[in-house]
Amino acid sequence: MRNYIFLSAITLLISSNCLAQTNQSDANAKEQSNMISDSVKAKKTEVLNEVLVTGKNLRNGTTFLKSGIKPIDLPQSIQVIGSAIIEQQQSIRLSDVIKNANGVYVGSARGGAQESFWSRGYDMTTNNMFKNGFRFNGGSVPEVSSLEKVEFLKGSAALLYGNVAPGGILNMITKTPLFKEGGEITMQAGSYNFYKPSIDVYGPLNHAIAYRFNGSYENSESFRNLVTKERYYVNPSFAFKISYRTDITLQADYLSDDWTPDFGTGSIGREVADVSRNTYLGAIWSNGNTKQATVSALLNHQINSRWKLNFNTSFQNYKRTSEGTERVLPKDNGDYYRPLGKNKALEQIFTNQFSLQGNFQTGKIKHQLFTGIDSEKSHADAYTYTFKPIVYDTINIYNVDLNTQKTDIPTAFTSRIVKTETSRYGVYLQDLISFTEKFKVLAGIRYSTQETKPITTNFNPTDNTSTTVPEAIRNDRAFSPKLGLIYQPNKSTTFFTSYANSFTPNTGVTIYNESLKPSMIDQYEAGIKKEFWKGVLSTNLTVYQIVNSNLAQMAQFNLDGSVNTISTVRELTGETTSKGVEIDIIVRPIDALNIMAGYSYNNMEYTKTTGAAGSFIEGDRLVRTPQNTANLSAFYTIPSGKFKGIAFGTIANYIGERLGGFNNTNGQTIPDRTIPLSGYTTIDVSIGYTWKRFSILSKLSNITNELNYTVHENYSVNPIAPRQILTSLKYKF
């Protein structure tokens, strides 16, 4: 903690000295304070441009570009999916939105409770999902109707966000108040009795206060028998223009989601079980519920034309419960001994962020400084339950009769509660140094600490006793540097290369019974950003390599030299390498026609293992990492003439061959644990019409009725949705 305070003091001292170098007058500050340059959105002339929002409309959320750096000056790949695309494609789930994000894909849908997103071979769901700049518990399915845009920052984000996986981060920006009156009412209806009314209304309360309220209700069945969903969502927000220099945005939202746990079709050996897409194998009384609430405050203060302060704080409360039969693991003949399961997870997350950004010069060299401090405290409770008996009953997956199934609900007993308190702190300093208009350097460093305090309580239902066992406190800390070089021979071309380092905490102990040190991960990236014909065509080409050179794996030997057989005794002797190429293309050949395309190649494999029993096999690809992904979308609205207002759109998404299940290990006595999955392409088409304040839009998704699966290990094998239709009727006021 003393080191943290010391580094914080140094950071603020440096910032103060830089601030003292500015000579801008208050008159200029007043003139500039009405222009808030933190909001970014897609434009014709580049993939992502900085936009100045004038007047009293406050900035729209906290972007991952909170440092104020223009995307053209950022030495890594970014992509923003705005509200227009979300609306045009009638996105219901976040998985619909990410179809537009090159190299980002759904890795699994465990139990039907959540969607996990992957990028560059790494899972983004645990620590890499954010909402308005705050870490978001990825155990829920986010509400898309509240989103203004979804941002993807690919590659390393550890400098500004601390302990995150190196594949990239996802940041959801919710709708915020506007100082103009308006709104819309939408009714969506579609296949499998889906219907969803929603409302979005905004406006000023007076010259200094604005409000916004959006909410939705969703009720639907599914192409899966007995699977249903019912959701309630509300999102009020208020904006306060305190002065020319200061504004505050208060936001809150609440989600209640009732869903049916669905572990899919299961697998037999290395193959997905050959049962119909609609066959539900869970108990008919299986149920789940997610409740999630967030309150946040964002304060922005423009000190003068060159410097501004930001303070953001957020509290998130999360609860998910489920019970039913789970883990679909049938025998070769189709007999499925349905195991019972009950889960409850609670988490509270309290986050504070303080940052200072500004511009100054040292001689002819320009600096764009961004520095700050952030902290996060979370309390997570994980409940484990026991059923007696463990197995509910036996069914055959090839002959499921819903009319003869059992309906009684067994009683579960709490067997374990693991309470984990996690504290994260970080201090960072970043500087974009412009030596000339063509040569720039982005340099930064972050110091992060993470302390984890787990306490396990075991319960004995026989004699109603409990035993509490405090586990060892984990303290992980590391520096995360970043260095990027930018060369811009002209205004339409950028060459860049960068290096970044991050860390990942590890579980388990060493052979000396000490906590395992974190794994340090090195990431290298290089690319070209190029525009042609004054922005008609925009292209990005990125190559990268991510190396975890001290991957934790099962220790080969114990301290006395004997062979280790305990999986939790581990050592930092492994290595994984993720290599890839990403190509992004945006074309606007004519007005009102937008085309986006992307291709991504990734190869992530174990590049160094001990070869000992229990270790992974060198050269094997990691599961849930396709080598090839691609996307193509186009949307055109007739701008004038007799057919003005008619719109056409399509989106195609390709996920290549990949492996589900588990990676094999050296010396295993069981058969191959991987599940090969073929590549597949889904195509959605839409048509719509806008007349005055009314619009109607219909979408036919998966028009070829493609059948494929998302696989979480080997027990949650969920088929993708078949051909479906969705229609949206909207009135704007």
Side-chain angles (χ1 to χ4, degrees):
M1 178 60 70
R2 287 183 296 178
N3 292 336
Y4 174 77
I5 295 173
F6 178 70
L7 287 170
S8 302
I10 291 178
T11 301
L12 293 178
L13 180 61
I14 294 172
S15 304
S16 300
N17 289 335
C18 296
L19 185 62
Q21 297 181 40
T22 63
N23 297 315
Q24 193 69 28
S25 68
D26 275 351
N28 287 335
K30 184 175 181 178
E31 180 182 352
Q32 296 291 330
S33 62
N34 286 332
M35 294 187 283
I36 303 169
S37 60
D38 247 6
S39 297
V40 291
K41 67 180 183 179
K43 281 186 73 177
K44 176 180 179 178
T45 57
E46 50 184 275
V47 177
L48 189 66
N49 260 340
E50 184 178 66
V51 176
L52 295 180
V53 181
T54 61
K56 293 182 179 180
N57 289 340
L58 305 182
R59 70 172 188 166
N60 190 9
T62 300
T63 78
F64 54 49
L65 296 174
K66 55 186 178 180
S67 62
I69 294 178
K70 297 178 181 179
I72 199 72
D73 293 333
L74 193 67
Q76 63 190 111
S77 179
I78 59 177
Q79 190 170 0
V80 177
I81 311 301
S83 58
I85 294 176
I86 295 173
E87 179 180 329
Q88 290 166 357
Q89 298 177 353
Q90 298 185 86
S91 300
I92 298 296
R93 301 286 178 256
L94 193 56
S95 56
D96 299 325
V97 180
I98 67 107
K99 289 181 179 181
N100 300 278
N102 182 25
V104 184
Y105 55 91
V106 177
S108 67
R110 184 180 183 274
Q114 66 183 90
E115 299 170 321
S116 66
F117 304 103
W118 290 59
S119 175
R120 297 185 176 182
Y122 286 88
D123 190 353
M124 304 171 61
T125 309
T126 303
N127 288 317
N128 290 39
M129 291 185 64
F130 293 80
K131 184 167 70 175
N132 295 324
F134 301 105
R135 186 169 69 87
F136 177 81
N137 190 305
S140 65
V141 178
E143 178 55 42
V144 172
S145 65
S146 70
L147 300 182
E148 183 67 30
K149 57 186 174 183
V150 179
E151 305 173 325
F152 298 91
L153 176 63
K154 301 175 186 178
S156 178
L159 175 62
L160 301 185
Y161 290 91
N163 179 28
V164 292
I169 67 166
L170 181 157
N171 187 29
M172 298 172 287
I173 304 296
T174 57
K175 299 173 181 178
T176 51
L178 299 174
F179 280 88
K180 62 177 183 179
E181 292 185 349
E184 60 186 35
I185 299 174
T186 306
M187 181 65 189
Q188 294 179 298
S191 302
Y192 307 105
N193 293 322
F194 174 91
Y195 63 92
K196 181 178 182 178
S198 59
I199 185 171
D200 180 19
V201 59
Y202 49 83
L205 295 177
N206 55 40
H207 70 283
I209 303 175
Y211 76 95
R212 190 164 194 163
F213 176 85
N214 63 79
S216 63
Y217 170 77
E218 177 184 327
N219 194 307
S220 69
E221 298 176 2
S222 170
F223 67 94
R224 304 276 295 160
N225 296 331
L226 301 178
V227 174
T228 62
K229 182 176 286 292
E230 186 177 25
R231 293 164 61 94
Y232 305 85
Y233 180 81
V234 292
N235 175 209
S237 58
F238 294 90
F240 303 86
K241 193 67 178 177
I242 306 300
S243 68
Y244 287 110
R245 298 180 179 183
T246 307
D247 61 76
I248 298 174
T249 302
L250 303 180
Q251 299 187 73
D253 67 356
Y254 174 77
L255 170 69
S256 178
D257 184 5
D258 289 303
W259 44 273
T260 303
D262 181 12
F263 290 83
T265 63
S267 61
I268 297 178
R270 302 186 68 207
E271 296 183 359
V272 174
D274 186 17
V275 299
S276 70
R277 192 190 314 228
N278 66 332
T279 301
Y280 177 67
L281 300 175
I284 60 178
W285 50 267
S286 298
N287 66 92
N289 176 265
T290 302
K291 287 182 169 62
Q292 192 165 26
T294 305
V295 179
S296 65
L298 294 81
L299 182 149
N300 308 295
H301 177 66
Q302 197 80 35
I303 301 173
N304 55 39
S305 64
R306 294 191 177 191
W307 292 90
K308 70 177 180 178
L309 288 169
N310 294 280
F311 175 74
N312 306 324
T313 185
S314 170
F315 175 76
Q316 179 184 159
N317 188 70
Y318 167 86
K319 178 182 180 181
R320 189 177 81 181
T321 59
S322 66
E323 63 177 341
T325 56
E326 57 181 32
R327 296 183 177 268
V328 182
L329 294 169
K331 302 295 183 181
D332 291 348
N333 64 354
D335 286 344
Y336 167 34
Y337 303 92
R338 296 197 290 184
L340 290 162
K342 182 175 180 178
N343 301 278
K344 182 166 77 171
L346 311 174
E347 186 177 31
Q348 297 82 41
I349 307 173
F350 182 62
T351 307
N352 290 297
Q353 302 170 351
F354 173 81
S355 63
L356 171 69
Q357 72 177 76
N359 302 282
F360 65 98
Q361 290 188 208
T362 53
K364 295 183 178 181
I365 300 175
K366 298 178 180 180
H367 299 264
Q368 188 171 344
L369 187 75
F370 185 63
T371 184
I373 299 171
D374 51 49
S375 67
E376 178 187 291
K377 279 198 174 281
S378 67
H379 299 266
D381 299 344
Y383 289 72
T384 302
Y385 296 88
T386 301
F387 289 87
K388 291 185 179 180
I390 299 176
V391 175
Y392 185 54
D393 63 2
T394 302
I395 65 171
N396 191 282
I397 64 173
Y398 302 118
N399 186 25
V400 178
D401 187 353
L402 299 178
N403 297 318
T404 61
Q405 288 197 27
K406 294 177 61 176
T407 59
D408 60 297
I409 304 177
T411 301
F413 303 92
T414 304
S415 58
R416 176 180 294 181
I417 302 176
V418 179
K419 296 180 177 290
T420 305
E421 179 181 307
T422 304
S423 300
R424 296 183 174 97
Y425 301 95
V427 57
Y428 55 87
L429 177 68
Q430 175 184 279
D431 190 10
L432 177 64
I433 307 169
S434 300
F435 294 97
T436 69
E437 291 299 318
K438 295 182 178 181
F439 293 96
K440 302 175 183 180
V441 173
L442 180 67
I445 190 167
R446 177 188 182 94
Y447 179 73
S448 299
T449 68
Q450 178 171 310
E451 182 182 78
T452 305
K453 300 178 181 177
I455 299 176
T456 300
T457 302
N458 296 306
F459 297 89
N460 187 340
T462 304
D463 56 8
N464 201 28
T465 59
S466 63
T467 304
T468 300
V469 183
E471 301 180 22
I473 297 176
R474 293 189 54 83
N475 285 285
D476 296 306
R477 57 196 66 194
F479 286 95
S480 299
K482 183 172 185 175
L483 179 66
L485 306 177
I486 301 113
Y487 173 59
Q488 298 167 336
N490 52 61
K491 292 184 179 181
S492 63
T493 307
T494 295
F495 297 89
F496 67 88
T497 183
S498 66
Y499 163 79
N501 179 270
S502 59
F503 77 99
T504 299
N506 290 306
T507 59
V509 296
T510 68
I511 59 175
Y512 303 100
N513 200 33
E514 298 174 344
S515 296
L516 213 62
K517 293 182 179 180
S519 294
M520 309 305 295
I521 302 172
D522 297 304
Q523 179 158 324
Y524 308 86
E525 188 167 344
I528 306 171
K529 302 178 183 180
K530 176 66 176 176
E531 294 180 356
F532 300 89
W533 307 301
K534 298 182 179 181
V536 172
L537 171 64
S538 300
T539 61
N540 292 333
L541 172 64
T542 305
V543 295
Y544 62 86
Q545 176 174 281
I546 307 170
V547 181
N548 183 351
S549 58
N550 57 351
L551 177 73
Q553 59 181 356
M554 183 175 170
Q556 185 173 2
F557 301 105
N558 294 312
L559 185 60
D560 60 3
S562 61
V563 176
N564 173 50
T565 58
I566 303 173
S567 61
T568 57
V569 178
R570 313 178 76 195
E571 59 185 353
L572 298 174
T573 57
E575 180 182 273
T576 60
T577 300
S578 175
K579 299 179 181 179
V581 179
E582 294 169 348
I583 303 172
D584 297 283
I585 299 173
I586 297 178
V587 189
R588 288 198 65 184
I590 59 174
D591 289 340
L593 174 60
N594 296 278
I595 302 172
M596 295 191 304
Y599 167 74
S600 176
Y601 169 83
N602 172 263
N603 183 57
M604 185 167 184
E605 61 182 29
Y606 294 102
T607 47
K608 180 183 177 182
T609 68
T610 63
S615 65
F616 293 109
I617 299 173
E618 193 170 311
D620 275 6
R621 279 186 60 81
L622 274 71
V623 295
R624 297 193 292 281
T625 58
Q627 277 194 331
N628 301 283
T629 60
N631 62 281
L632 172 65
S633 66
F635 203 88
Y636 177 65
T637 302
I638 299 176
S640 60
K642 185 177 181 180
F643 300 104
K644 178 183 178 180
I646 296 178
F648 307 90
T650 185
I651 179 170
N653 191 251
Y654 172 74
I655 306 295
E657 295 180 354
R658 63 219 180 277
L659 295 173
F662 301 87
N663 277 108
N664 295 310
T665 58
N666 286 291
Q668 67 184 37
T669 58
I670 57 178
D672 193 331
R673 306 190 302 171
T674 61
I675 304 173
L677 298 168
S678 62
Y680 68 99
T681 300
T682 58
I683 302 173
D684 305 342
V685 295
S686 60
I687 185 171
Y689 177 65
T690 299
W691 179 75
K692 296 184 178 180
R693 296 177 180 267
F694 293 91
S695 65
I696 186 170
L697 185 64
S698 291
K699 177 176 71 174
L700 185 64
S701 58
N702 193 6
I703 61 175
T704 61
N705 207 33
E706 184 76 17
L707 175 61
N708 214 280
Y709 302 86
T710 57
V711 180
H712 179 88
E713 298 177 344
N714 67 337
Y715 60 83
S716 185
V717 181
N718 296 85
I720 65 172
R723 184 186 300 114
Q724 297 184 84
I725 191 169
L726 176 66
T727 298
S728 299
L729 180 63
K730 180 176 297 186
Y731 173 74
K732 292 189 176 184
F733 52 87

